[in-house]
Amino acid sequence: GQTYIADLTNPFPNGVDRPLGAEGGLYTNLGQGVSFFNDRVRSPYMQRWQFALQRELPARAVVELSYVGNRGTRQRVGRQLNALPLQYLSTSPVRDQPTIDYLNRQVPNPFYPMLPKTSLAGATVSRSQLLRPFPHFTGVSMDVNQGYSWYHSLQVRVERRFTSGLSSTLSYTWSKMMEAREFLNDADPMPYEVISDQDRTHRLAATWIYELPFGRGKALGGGSGALLSRFIGGWQLQGIYTFQSGEPLGFGNAIFTGNLKDIPLPRSQRTVDRWFNVDAGFERDPSKALSANVRTFPIRFSGVRVAPLNNWDISMIKNTSITEGIQLQVRVEAINAFNHTQFMPPNTSPTSTAFGQVNDERAWPRVVQLGMKVLF
């Protein structure tokens, strides 16, 4: 029947202000995980800068070369305030069973029987729970403004304005995006700087509209009669092609003893059954997996990625004039016209029997759409 009051006086190892005001304290959810709103949180903001050069070319074309940068500041990230201090975790590069056993050993529960119907209701509790900053809670979390990101890119755009029945645009971006929005270890003072899961090194996009040169007033069939001209004229071919690098991959809290450069496979050797080199130095035995350790293995790798996006969308349009003010338009559109398979990420758990395998694809099959509308 006794109520235990948690004193959260300055729980932040990096000196962030107290989240609960001068009075401090939590009075509910004892024996459970709690999260709360940080009333000292500030609004994140983005800074963007750009420098561009543009040049007009023959045939009504324009080329533009630009540098674009971006910086995200005060981004909100989740912070675990009740993490086990790093001093109690193992720094061994391999599984440290004595440390694991020490932290997992059951000891008398000082809160028994004050926290019934919670995970801390038993007469014993693991030693690791009592070593936490607030042992009467299984977790204490909130959002803080410690996240940040930065982005740099070189962008090229070539545009051909509509002439001779053709209009087209080609855009290419070469970029890199880094971020610090996750903690490598819950007790770390700052987020870990790593390649962003939104990073796409290469992106190529091409769009075009082409009026086929058939029918009255065109290069072919210009002298045809009105009925024939209505049939062979008014055709347009449109398309969008997109190529984009896949997102970078990570392998969790893995044991790796090889050379990181050996993990990616050449494109000629990459298959859905072996997307990267599973024999590069990963520890595959589940009984040797790391636990209760200070993690040092990176969150993601720029050189190991999901399959790129490779997609064509093509449409054929027929415009037919019915009267001077009325026009009939018929459209045939093919999304993912060549039915390219778009793969999901491979399995990246070293202890899994499916490690390195791609077992699914994105729901992006070829779709053909037919449409008709009257313009007046």
Side-chain angles (χ1 to χ4, degrees), residues 93 251-256 282-283 289-290 293 295-298 348 350 355:
F251 302 94
N253 187 20
I255 297 177
F256 184 80
F282 293 98
E283 176 56 66
L290 291 173
N293 69 296
R295 178 176 173 177
T296 58
F297 198 60
T348 56
F355 183 50

Side-chain angles (χ1 to χ4, degrees), residues 89-97 99 255 290-296:
L89 299 177
S90 172
T91 57
S92 172
V94 297
R95 184 179 178 90
D96 186 348
Q97 195 61 47
T99 297
I255 297 177
L290 291 173
S291 181
N293 69 296
V294 177
R295 178 176 173 177
T296 58

